Amino acid sequence: ETYNLGRAALPAEMKAWTVEVFPDGKNLPEGSGSVEDGENLFADKCAACHGDFAEGVDNWPKLAGGADTLARKDPVKTVGSYFPYLSTVWDYAHRSMPFGDAQTMTVDETYAIVAYILYSNDLVDDDFVLSKENFLDVKMPNADGFIVDDRPETEYPLFSKAACMSDCKKDVHITMKATVLNVTPDQGGDDSAAADTAVDAPADTVVASAASEGASEEAMAQDAPAAAEEQASAAPAATEETLAADPALVAAGEKVFKKCKACHQVGEKAKNRVGPVLNGLIGRQAGTVDGFKYSKSMKQHGEDGLVWNEETVQAYLADPKGYIPKNKMSFAGLKKADDVKAVLAYIESQGG
Amino acid sequence: QPDPLITEVQSWAQGWGDGVDATPYGLPIEFESDVIRRNVGWLTADVISSINFTPIHALDGTITPTGCAFERHHSGAIELKKEDYRLMINGLVDKPLVFTYEDLERFPRENRTYFLECAANSGMEWAGAQLNGAQFTQGMIHNMQYSGIPLRTLLEEAGITNLGDQIKDKWVYVEGADASSNGRSIPLEKALDDCLVAIKANGEALRKEHGYPVRLVVPGWEGNMWVKWLRRIEVTDEAVQSREETSKYTDTLADGTSRKWTWVMDAKSVVTSPSPQMPIKHGKGPLVITGMAWSGRGAITKVDVSIDGGANWQEARLAEPGVDKAMSRFYLDIDWDGSEMFLQSRATDATGYVQPTKDALRAIRGENSVYHNNGIQTWWVKENGESENVEVSS
């Protein structure tokens, strides 16, 4: 029984959306790209999060390294050490990257960036050119590293026996406490538990760890959470409101700022992250925040007299790559003047 | 002493409260403002691609209130209007189709309650006790009632009769409309079995953070497969081996090989109160121990609770009979003598599977597995009523 609902999908529509690439190369478009081109593209589009050498910045995913670490404690899972298929890398890069500006890379750019990622994993030489033709020739080190879920054989029989109800064990003693690590977020309010733990355990047992994206595996490993000061820096900074700020505009700006805060921090505890801190933005010469590694282009614009004010920020955010070619900011921009106005009001209210 | 709250006239007994137009769509009263989703800042690089946690410690019953049900996105929660929504079904079907939201509303639909658990729930606890609170240790979960169209209905509308007996070997590739697209491959058999294309949750439109206007429901299977902002379903010959099914959501064993396609979420439970965020404040005497249990392989049939770290167990009371692939609420009402407890719960599902200890899982999977941790949780409840997340000897 059918309901005769919907309409036929048109060929152009199916072509636009059917872009996933399969392990056997199905759907891979014609094209090619070199390691050399990939290096420049990677620096431009990827390095802000993944590092110049694909080594990963902060908690963003590492794409290179980790060879032969899968069987040891805290394995490092990268394209080179973990991904079983190259198609996965091409597919994800082309479809979902750069973060915040997805689906903007051409086919050849994608080949080049994937070639560079292979190079950064020592899987190809520096003169390598990746193309549709040689795509399947690339050997992925962990290609044979996966088995299909075997819980039905290895676990279910073991765990499907009648459960013990009494005298199941002789000795019960604590083998590990969460308070030793002291990484539970502060929950505010009158909840005493979180506050107590801070007294119990100095946070000296933990070290910051660059971990992979998402519900990060490395951060989940028990010895890997970030240091206490890292946590503090992630908390929103409490700052004084600027007297003149229009609260409605600031509130609107806070919403717009969500698009910025993946890379930029502002406020009392702000640190340079993927992008420079935005404190003192208005009136600042471009490319001059201490400790931030700017592109040559951004520095040059500053030295040539570019100072950030509403007008210049507006022009920059309307077309980041057009206004300052080859700058590092991988962001599509804010097209609406009202959004820029609001976000600047917010930045100023936070100490910017 | 007479209680002045009783003997004196209180302001709320004298004047007016809010009018009916004060909150056209309500939020919890201000006194409950601590019952909120929380983020663990150090877990991820950025809140745009991150996860937060349901305040399960403070909830009761089985349905998760939508406004505090955990979120996980890979490229932020997008705003997609119903008018702009399109769902394509293509690939190995007789006639590839495009549906609008209004089209979907015209298909016969069903109401089903299911839990959704992130594969990474309790992942931080795999190598040892780490976070203090049921919210953080087991809070990547929610349980909602979905109104939706069986995926089978939509696939049949596009025509799959040509596949005949090949259905067992085929897949559907599902993807979202957001920048991450979060594509996943699902065996066609599962798609035809119980998956839903949901347009409502808990009676209302899906929230933005849960995939408005349309999300996929994949009962009993890891949350990452429940694609939000669902825009395309393609019937394919093989799995795509996308980022989310190879580089993520795979389980690395001690010898360095990794399990893939570990879709099912096995039986699990947790005591939600008392727990680190829910200290006992009333001292000894009657105490309600409560928690929740769920299994991706069927209904919960039994939950046992231990107050001595697993040496002895008592069968808890299920608030209602277990529902297939949905959450159950359990209670154990005790007379607490004020001494310390090592509180644990242990779920059994319709297949007879009994929730194992973390040690038992680690003995098989090693210390690097992270995802799919359904091991038993222990709360050390102290004499002062406060609790800590601990592990105990097995």
Side-chain angles (χ1 to χ4, degrees):
Chain A
E1 180 191 12
T2 60
Y3 300 88
N4 288 318
L5 291 170
R7 61 164 176 84
L10 303 177
E13 292 171 335
M14 287 191 281
K15 185 164 176 250
W17 276 4
T18 310
V19 295
E20 80 280 12
V21 177
F22 288 79
D24 60 7
K26 189 178 144 197
N27 291 353
L28 199 59
E30 287 293 343
S32 67
S34 66
V35 169
E36 196 184 347
D37 289 346
E39 182 167 10
N40 291 326
L41 288 161
F42 196 88
D44 187 30
K45 296 176 185 294
C46 320
C49 296
H50 297 296
D52 287 336
F53 307 102
E55 76 280 16
V57 173
D58 296 336
N59 264 4
W60 298 105
K62 296 173 173 64
L63 303 180
D68 303 320
T69 64
L70 297 181
R72 68 154 217 219
K73 197 165 162 52
D74 300 333
V76 179
K77 297 180 178 181
T78 72
V79 169
S81 70
Y82 197 63
F83 280 45
Y85 304 104
L86 188 59
S87 57
T88 309
V89 188
W90 203 99
D91 178 58
Y92 195 76
H94 188 238
R95 179 213 300 269
S96 303
M97 290 287 119
F99 190 58
D101 202 13
Q103 305 188 69
T104 56
M105 294 201 290
T106 66
V107 166
D108 286 347
E109 284 175 340
T110 309
Y111 275 110
I113 281 172
V114 174
Y116 179 71
I117 295 170
L118 289 171
Y119 170 72
S120 65
N121 278 287
D122 298 322
L123 297 175
V124 298
D125 293 326
D126 59 3
D127 59 356
F128 180 72
V129 179
L130 181 68
S131 65
K132 182 177 179 182
E133 285 64 43
N134 67 8
F135 197 86
L136 295 180
D137 299 339
V138 178
K139 293 273 173 291
M140 299 297 278
N142 199 36
D144 299 323
F146 289 80
I147 57 167
V148 171
D149 187 4
D150 64 353
R151 284 177 293 176
E153 296 80 45
T154 55
E155 297 188 9
Y156 294 168
L158 209 54
F159 300 144
S160 300
K161 299 168 183 167
C164 172
M165 294 301 287
S166 55
D167 297 323
C168 305
K169 53 185 171 185
K170 291 277 170 284
D171 168 52
V172 174
H173 65 269
I174 293 173
T175 56
M176 183 173 281
K177 293 168 153 188
T179 46
V180 172
L181 288 160
N182 189 31
V183 293
T184 307
D186 182 13
Q187 291 158 60
D190 61 351
D191 195 337
S192 56
D196 282 353
T197 60
V199 180
D200 289 349
D204 58 359
T205 51
V206 292
V207 285
S209 154
S212 51
E213 181 207 338
S216 128
E217 294 184 30
E218 285 160 72
M220 285 174 185
Q222 177 254 319
D223 56 350
E229 68 207 72
E230 280 287 310
Q231 293 176 54
S233 74
T239 50
E240 293 164 38
E241 293 273 330
T242 316
L243 282 177
D246 166 4
L249 192 63
V250 169
E254 185 174 8
K255 215 176 160 193
V256 177
F257 193 71
K258 283 183 185 166
K259 294 183 176 176
C260 318
K261 69 182 187 186
C263 302
H264 291 284
Q265 295 189 349
V266 64
E268 200 183 336
K269 291 178 179 166
K271 285 184 183 173
N272 290 330
R273 308 295 277 202
V274 174
V277 296
L278 298 179
N279 297 349
L281 175 71
I282 296 302
R284 179 208 293 165
Q285 179 183 325
T288 57
V289 168
D290 270 354
F292 187 76
K293 213 177 136 210
Y294 286 96
S295 61
K296 276 185 199 156
S297 172
M298 182 62 82
K299 274 188 158 162
Q300 191 60 51
H301 273 71
E303 284 159 21
D304 292 347
L306 176 62
V307 172
W308 294 122
N309 56 38
E310 190 177 328
E311 195 185 338
T312 54
V313 170
Q314 188 101 61
Y316 177 45
L317 291 181
D319 180 12
K321 295 286 181 197
Y323 191 68
I324 303 180
K326 297 202 169 169
N327 86 80
K328 278 165 75 174
M329 189 167 76
S330 183
F331 179 55
L334 294 174
K335 308 300 176 203
K336 293 182 197 153
D338 284 353
D339 282 353
V340 176
K341 217 174 179 137
V343 84
L344 283 176
Y346 173 71
I347 289 169
E348 283 201 69
S349 78
Q350 299 296 303
Chain B
Q1 280 295 330
D3 186 346
L5 283 167
I6 295 171
T7 56
E8 293 172 13
V9 176
Q10 302 296 321
S11 60
W12 56 83
Q14 208 164 21
W16 287 326
D18 285 344
V20 292
D21 56 356
T23 42
Y25 207 124
L27 285 168
I29 194 165
E30 59 187 307
F31 314 124
E32 297 294 318
S33 62
D34 62 325
V35 183
I36 51 171
R37 296 184 279 229
R38 287 188 174 88
N39 177 20
V40 177
W42 52 260
L43 252 190
T44 56
D46 189 79
V47 291
I48 302 291
S49 177
S50 193
I51 193 152
N52 60 23
F53 299 81
T54 307
I56 54 172
H57 61 288
L59 304 176
D60 210 324
T62 55
I63 294 293
T64 311
T66 319
C68 67
F70 88 100
E71 311 165 57
R72 166 75 163 118
H73 347 107
H74 294 77
S75 224
I78 58 166
E79 293 183 359
L80 176 57
K81 282 187 210 141
K82 285 178 183 168
E83 295 78 17
D84 296 340
Y85 178 78
R86 301 288 183 274
L87 175 63
M88 182 186 291
I89 299 190
N90 69 332
L92 305 172
V93 294
D94 298 336
K95 38 174 191 172
L97 293 174
V98 171
F99 301 112
T100 62
Y101 184 85
E102 284 185 331
D103 292 334
L104 294 182
E105 286 184 310
R106 297 173 64 190
F107 284 101
R109 56 184 181 262
E110 296 179 351
N111 284 196
R112 296 275 185 271
T113 300
Y114 294 116
F115 76 85
L116 181 164
E117 184 183 19
C118 178
N121 198 20
S122 309
M124 291 88 78
E125 304 299 310
W126 181 258
Q130 177 159 271
L131 285 160
N132 240 339
Q135 176 169 25
F136 301 110
T137 52
Q138 277 88 6
M140 296 181 191
I141 189 163
H142 55 63
N143 189 64
M144 299 193 201
Q145 186 204 46
Y146 295 96
S147 307
I149 302 106
L151 181 50
R152 171 186 276 276
T153 304
L154 299 181
L155 288 166
E156 285 175 350
E157 184 75 9
I160 48 169
T161 48
N162 65 328
L163 296 178
D165 293 342
Q166 302 172 51
I167 281 175
K168 275 199 277 304
D169 308 322
K170 301 300 181 203
W171 297 76
V172 293
Y173 179 67
V174 290
E175 66 181 20
D178 64 317
S180 81
S181 80
N182 191 54
R184 288 292 305 246
S185 309
I186 300 174
L188 183 56
E189 270 193 308
K190 175 70 174 177
L192 294 173
D193 178 22
D194 57 3
C195 292
L196 289 179
V197 173
I199 57 174
K200 294 278 164 67
N202 294 344
E204 64 174 4
L206 295 165
R207 297 288 174 97
K208 171 170 71 173
E209 61 269 34
H210 300 134
Y212 179 93
V214 177
R215 92 171 303 167
L216 188 64
V217 170
V218 188
W221 289 20
E222 61 189 16
N224 181 257
M225 306 175 89
W226 299 44
V227 170
K228 301 191 287 190
W229 314 290
L230 179 70
R231 81 167 189 187
R232 198 169 67 93
I233 298 158
E234 180 183 356
V235 179
T236 65
D237 275 325
E238 54 179 327
V240 171
Q241 309 284 3
S242 70
R243 175 184 188 266
E244 310 299 341
E245 56 203 34
T246 54
S247 82
K248 304 288 171 185
Y249 303 99
T250 44
D251 309 81
T252 300
L253 305 172
D255 67 358
T257 59
S258 303
R259 289 174 178 164
K260 66 174 181 179
W261 301 349
T262 40
W263 303 307
V264 177
M265 301 307 293
D266 288 330
K268 186 171 174 180
S269 67
V270 61
V271 171
T272 51
S273 180
S275 64
Q277 296 159 290
M278 297 291 282
I280 304 168
K281 293 177 174 166
H282 53 62
K284 58 186 183 182
L287 171 68
V288 174
I289 297 170
T290 187
M292 50 202 222
W294 60 95
S295 168
R297 297 171 66 210
I300 291 296
T301 52
K302 178 171 175 269
V303 178
D304 304 315
V305 169
S306 172
I307 61 172
D308 59 7
N312 298 283
W313 297 85
Q314 310 175 59
E315 188 169 343
R317 172 167 62 86
L318 294 184
E320 291 177 309
V323 176
D324 184 42
K325 304 182 185 77
M327 200 177 274
S328 284
R329 169 68 49 181
F330 65 84
Y331 297 102
L332 184 70
D333 309 295
I334 68 165
D335 183 12
W336 184 42
D337 63 6
S339 59
E340 72 171 12
M341 298 186 280
F342 292 102
L343 263 186
Q344 298 184 333
S345 64
R346 181 178 70 186
T348 301
D349 72 18
T351 71
Y353 177 98
V354 182
Q355 182 184 4
T357 61
K358 278 203 262 181
D359 280 340
L361 290 173
R362 286 190 290 237
I364 297 168
R365 303 181 196 170
E367 296 230 328
N368 290 331
S369 179
V370 178
Y371 294 109
H372 304 101
N373 174 12
N374 65 313
I376 289 172
Q377 171 71 50
T378 308
W379 306 127
W380 173 29
V381 183
K382 301 171 206 178
E383 291 173 356
N384 66 4
E386 289 178 3
S387 304
E388 245 184 66
N389 175 12
V390 297
E391 289 194 6
V392 293
S393 50
S394 49

